[in-house]
Amino acid sequence: MNSIVVAEHNNQQLNPVTLKVITAAKQLGDDITVIVIGHDCAAVAAQAAKAQGVSKVIQADAPGYQHQLAENVAPLVADLAKQAKYVLAPATTFGKNFMPRVAALLDVAQLSEVIEIIDADTFKRPIYAGNGIATVKSSDPQKVMTVRSVAFAATDIGSEAVPIETIDNVVGGDKTTFVKQTLNESDRPELTAAKVVISGGRGLQSGENFKILEKLADVLGAAIGASRAAVDAGYVPNDYQVGQTGKIVAPELYIAVGISGAIQHLAGMKESKIIVAINKDEEAPIFQVADYGIVGDLFEIVPKFTELLSC
Amino acid sequence: MTEKLKILVTAKRVVDYNVKVRVKPDHSGIDTNNVKMSMNPFDEIAVEEAVRLKEKGVAAEIIVVSVGDNKSVETLRTALALGADRAILVETNDAIQPLGIAKILQALVKQEQPDLVIMGKQSIDGDNNQTGQMLAALLDWSQGTFISELTIENHKANVTREIDGGLETLALTLPAVVTTDLRLNEPRYASLPNIMKAKKKPLETVTIDSLGVTPKTRFEITKVEPPAQRSAGIKVETVEELVEKLKTAGVV
């Protein structure tokens, strides 16, 4: 096999981010095997089997893989990857957690957050919070990489399914045990997959005030994000954070409300198609990247904006 | 039974996070001449967490490690002033790649036998987010990455991890490696008396050779370019005008 793509999923649904990683794998050659590791995850394997460009799916299905712990996932992937030239996973908290472990087990480097494939050995990736784009030439016999999904389009889902091989041996022991997972309940689209993202910054002044963004988000079917300043101030949870150390987004429309535009934040959203900035400070750096800027009081502008879009 | 853990923390000297870095005109790298250097912010959080465990009586000793040139002594002194007990500098003028750093740390772990290694989740220069996970793999230890909460109980580390969409709690059997996320704690500032005291704390310098490690070069950075610039668009005067523009663009 040429490459292995480790699928991200919740045992029921294939996370669409995986389809983007498959696109990256296709650029590295044919013969792509997708590995689905979980428990009772046949539905996920069936979805992956229809992704265009995939030649085979391996479904590693056992209770020991239910929570996809790095200690169990990494040795399995490293074992299956023995014959592969490339091992790819999304640069999400899922991929970032176990992929360096895979690389260490294979005794090779990991290339983090790849945004472009130049040739079989050469890749581009951001460094210094996106202030530099490094061209990296790897001399390892196998390349282990996490892929920044916003940089690649999703591969299509076809109607023909490729064969699925099932395995159930659990490796990696049980030194780590899963206790619980608390996912934020939301009817809104996921930040990294949303077509429209509205983010709030310190200008919102409180967590309570994020409600005005929610109303606008309801009208636009948008996801809600935040700057690191808003997260640090405790207005919203950390997983709202858009930026180099948070989530990288590239929606059709990004609306930055009360965000000054620190480099750290810009690194997470500047690939958006259209950027709107609402800020009372006309000197705010966010205006330098915004397609449309409006200077003024967000507490007047956002409700007005919501009202105009609702009618 | 009260735990008395030995903790190893890592601290990297990086360009201060407030510095607006620039790509060198010849695209050979980032210009780091005459810029302010500081401890990697995620490592500050790691040091702070170790100090808090010691203050709670959970930790007995905190050893701070840095791999870098002799200027990294400053970074180690900062960690000592924050409350670490002793420091080890693995001195090198080479830029060691993450797997090499992980192997150096593996050798130090064998030597020091800590119960817990606390590291920043990534350094803000290379932005790799790898070394902690690699170290855990080399040692075949449990790992807790991107943590926002840590408690020690019955020789287990209970960690809350920041994951996409929420939080995950794991119980790690010690010894383990954990990596810090932003919300784990707010690091303190070193007080002047503590800065003075830190000068007297032990700081040992070793070489990579003496640890029996030979880091390999596995990749080469052939070029560093500035990111594609977006140009500023227009300022609109009214919300009506904004809505009109967005409708014309077909995004609302």
Side-chain angles (χ1 to χ4, degrees), chain A residues 174-177, chain B residues 115 141-142 155-157 171-177:
Chain A
D174 57 359
K175 283 192 281 246
T176 299
T177 49
Chain B
D115 304 284
W141 283 9
S142 282
H155 215 62
K156 277 190 185 290
L172 316 177
T173 304
L174 294 178
V177 177

Side-chain angles (χ1 to χ4, degrees), chain B residues 5-207:
Chain B
L5 304 183
K6 187 168 176 180
I7 299 179
L8 192 135
V9 285
T10 54
K12 183 177 184 184
R13 184 172 185 268
V14 298
V15 171
D16 186 87
Y17 79 102
N18 284 312
V19 170
K20 186 167 167 44
V21 299
R22 296 194 190 283
V23 170
K24 287 185 190 166
D26 66 357
H27 291 180
S28 63
I30 297 285
D31 193 351
T32 52
N33 279 329
N34 301 318
V35 298
K36 187 183 175 200
M37 304 292 280
S38 296
M39 191 190 303
N40 179 41
F42 291 103
D43 297 345
E44 275 189 332
I45 296 172
V47 172
E48 175 67 31
E49 196 64 16
V51 173
R52 289 186 189 190
L53 288 174
K54 194 173 173 195
E55 286 168 347
K56 281 184 204 151
V58 176
E61 189 187 20
I62 304 166
I63 305 153
V64 58
V65 177
S66 192
V67 182
D69 63 17
N70 59 11
K71 289 183 187 140
S72 298
V73 165
E74 272 172 44
T75 310
L76 290 171
R77 289 285 174 209
T78 305
L80 293 170
L82 293 171
D85 296 298
R86 64 185 168 94
I88 302 171
L89 172 64
V90 182
E91 193 176 345
T92 173
N93 292 320
D94 299 332
I96 310 293
Q97 297 176 351
L99 186 56
I101 302 276
K103 289 183 178 183
I104 289 167
L105 294 174
Q106 181 191 17
L108 281 171
V109 164
K110 290 227 167 95
Q111 195 177 301
E112 297 288 345
Q113 303 278 319
D115 304 284
L116 181 66
V117 178
I118 311 180
M119 301 174 65
K121 74 166 180 180
Q122 70 193 65
S123 61
I124 60 165
D125 46 7
D127 282 331
N128 282 303
N129 192 336
Q130 301 173 356
T131 313
Q133 295 91 313
M134 287 178 160
L135 175 63
L138 297 173
L139 294 164
D140 195 22
W141 283 9
S142 282
Q143 72 177 47
T145 51
F146 333 139
I147 64 167
S148 58
E149 228 181 295
L150 168 67
T151 55
I152 307 289
E153 210 176 18
N154 301 324
H155 215 62
K156 277 190 185 290
N158 294 301
V159 298
T160 301
R161 305 180 53 232
E162 304 265 358
I163 58 167
D164 294 335
L167 299 170
E168 180 183 73
T169 307
L170 302 176
L172 316 177
T173 304
L174 294 178
V177 177
V178 297
T179 73
T180 62
D181 215 322
L182 283 178
R183 292 199 305 172
L184 182 60
N185 60 49
E186 275 189 43
R188 70 194 69 191
Y189 292 98
S191 67
L192 191 60
N194 285 340
I195 292 170
M196 299 313 288
K197 264 188 238 163
K199 291 183 179 164
K200 297 202 178 81
K201 288 185 178 176
L203 192 154
E204 179 193 357
T205 300
V206 301
T207 61

Side-chain angles (χ1 to χ4, degrees), chain A residues 96-118:
Chain A
K96 290 173 181 179
N97 186 41
F98 73 89
M99 283 292 270
R101 255 188 117 109
V102 173
L105 293 172
L106 294 173
D107 196 33
V108 296
Q110 179 192 277
L111 303 156
S112 297
E113 309 247 6
V114 168
I115 56 168
E116 196 180 327
I117 293 162
I118 312 281

Side-chain angles (χ1 to χ4, degrees), chain A residues 168-249:
Chain A
D168 62 2
N169 64 313
V170 177
V171 291
D174 57 359
K175 283 192 281 246
T176 299
T177 49
F178 173 85
V179 179
K180 65 174 181 194
Q181 200 174 70
T182 327
L183 295 179
N184 300 321
E185 297 289 334
S186 173
D187 298 332
R188 298 190 197 288
E190 211 265 310
L191 251 180
T192 54
K195 288 209 159 53
V196 181
V197 172
I198 304 168
S199 287
R202 204 184 274 281
L204 266 294
Q205 295 168 14
S206 74
E208 181 68 18
N209 287 340
F210 264 73
K211 285 201 177 125
I212 67 164
L213 301 189
E214 285 173 21
K215 286 187 188 139
L216 179 57
D218 287 340
V219 176
L220 291 170
I224 295 187
S227 68
R228 178 169 158 184
V231 171
D232 280 354
Y235 301 169
V236 286
N238 189 51
D239 69 309
Y240 276 51
Q241 195 198 142
V242 172
Q244 180 70 7
T245 54
K247 294 198 173 126
I248 312 291
V249 301

